[in-house]
Amino acid sequence: MQPRDLHLAVFAPRKPPRMAGVIGHELRPAGHRVIEMDGLHVVAPEDAWAQLSTFLPIDDLVTIGDWLITGDEPHSGAATPFSRDHLEAAIRHHGRRPGIRALRQAFELVRYGPLSPQETRLRLELVRSGLPEPALNHHVHDRGSRVAMVDLAYPERRLAIEYLGDHHRTDADAYREDIYRRERLTAAGWDVVFLTVADLEGPTPRATLIVRRAYARALRA
């Protein structure tokens, strides 16, 4: 792994450090929300998200925004400490920074629900391909019983889309659960599409073609 520069920001009138491997930034203190993490005082995540708009592409900003407002809630039931209101407040405060246009575009694409960066990327690719926006971490029930929570879904078509990270291949328990979950969903009348990182590669990801075919197949069923 190549070493990466550390970005370090300080509030004016302090001057940012100048040393090898460190990129310094000077911030205006007004308007920033400061929180404590592990004994350190840092700017709040929504402000850090806004500051990254100068360096990151829109899809990465959407991924971070999704994570901030989702947290672990779909699994645990615990509310995340951040919301779209926090992101919107950060946009207002950083309204004159160079990346504000990308930040506003990203904000419009941020959604509650994804539990991994690849789920966000898959959602964005499906929508760009012309498909409707899928439901995220959708709970499937059959005859009053919970069947599964699927990464993305088109409930009206009974189509479930599952992104499988590499641990689904290397972890025997995860591999078996994937099979059992697919069997349960199929028994409940759902079509299930499994996708991996290879399906998201390239300028025209294969995942969009796979899902489009399954979506059309569900319409004919």
Side-chain angles (χ1 to χ4, degrees):
M1 179 181 295
Q2 294 294 323
R4 296 182 178 180
D5 291 329
L6 173 67
H7 288 259
L8 180 62
V10 298
F11 289 133
R14 294 184 178 179
K15 297 300 179 183
R18 296 181 178 179
M19 62 184 71
V22 176
I23 299 176
H25 305 272
E26 184 177 317
L27 303 178
R28 293 181 294 106
H32 285 86
R33 192 166 69 93
V34 177
I35 63 174
E36 183 175 329
M37 294 184 65
D38 298 328
L40 296 175
H41 288 90
V42 297
V43 296
E46 66 270 19
D47 283 315
W49 173 73
Q51 292 162 13
L52 289 171
S53 63
T54 307
F55 311 100
L56 296 182
I58 289 176
D59 282 10
D60 287 349
L61 294 172
V62 176
T63 298
I64 295 169
D66 282 359
W67 175 75
L68 284 175
I69 70 171
T70 299
D72 296 326
E73 199 282 333
H75 282 307
S76 68
T80 174
F82 305 104
S83 67
R84 290 184 67 88
D85 290 342
H86 287 93
L87 302 186
E88 200 163 20
I91 290 174
R92 288 196 300 270
H93 173 65
H94 296 271
R96 295 185 178 180
R97 67 179 303 107
I100 191 62
R101 181 175 297 179
L103 196 65
R104 290 192 178 113
Q105 291 175 344
F107 176 74
E108 294 302 319
L109 295 170
V110 168
R111 299 290 184 270
Y112 171 87
L115 292 178
S116 75
Q118 296 291 38
E119 289 178 30
T120 292
R121 183 181 170 198
L122 176 56
R123 169 177 65 86
L124 294 175
E125 292 290 356
L126 293 179
V127 173
R128 287 187 187 125
S129 76
L131 284 164
E133 185 138 350
L136 305 173
N137 280 295
H138 178 74
H139 292 268
V140 177
H141 293 83
D142 183 47
R143 300 175 186 176
S145 298
R146 183 178 180 275
V147 176
M149 185 178 79
V150 296
D151 297 336
L152 300 94
Y154 292 106
E156 72 284 357
R157 304 287 178 100
R158 290 181 171 266
L159 174 59
I161 306 160
E162 293 278 73
Y163 176 80
L164 304 183
D166 200 49
H167 74 281
H168 290 263
R169 176 184 63 86
T170 59
D171 187 301
D173 290 337
Y175 179 71
R176 283 191 294 268
E177 175 54 29
D178 289 335
I179 295 174
Y180 298 154
R181 187 168 64 255
R182 187 169 200 166
E183 290 175 348
R184 295 194 303 269
L185 287 163
T186 301
W190 281 64
D191 190 7
V192 186
V193 173
F194 281 166
L195 301 172
T196 68
V197 66
D199 298 311
L200 284 172
E201 294 175 347
T204 306
R206 184 173 55 187
T208 59
L209 177 60
I210 294 172
V211 175
R212 288 182 73 88
R213 286 174 174 171
Y215 188 86
R217 184 171 62 242
L219 177 62
R220 295 192 298 267

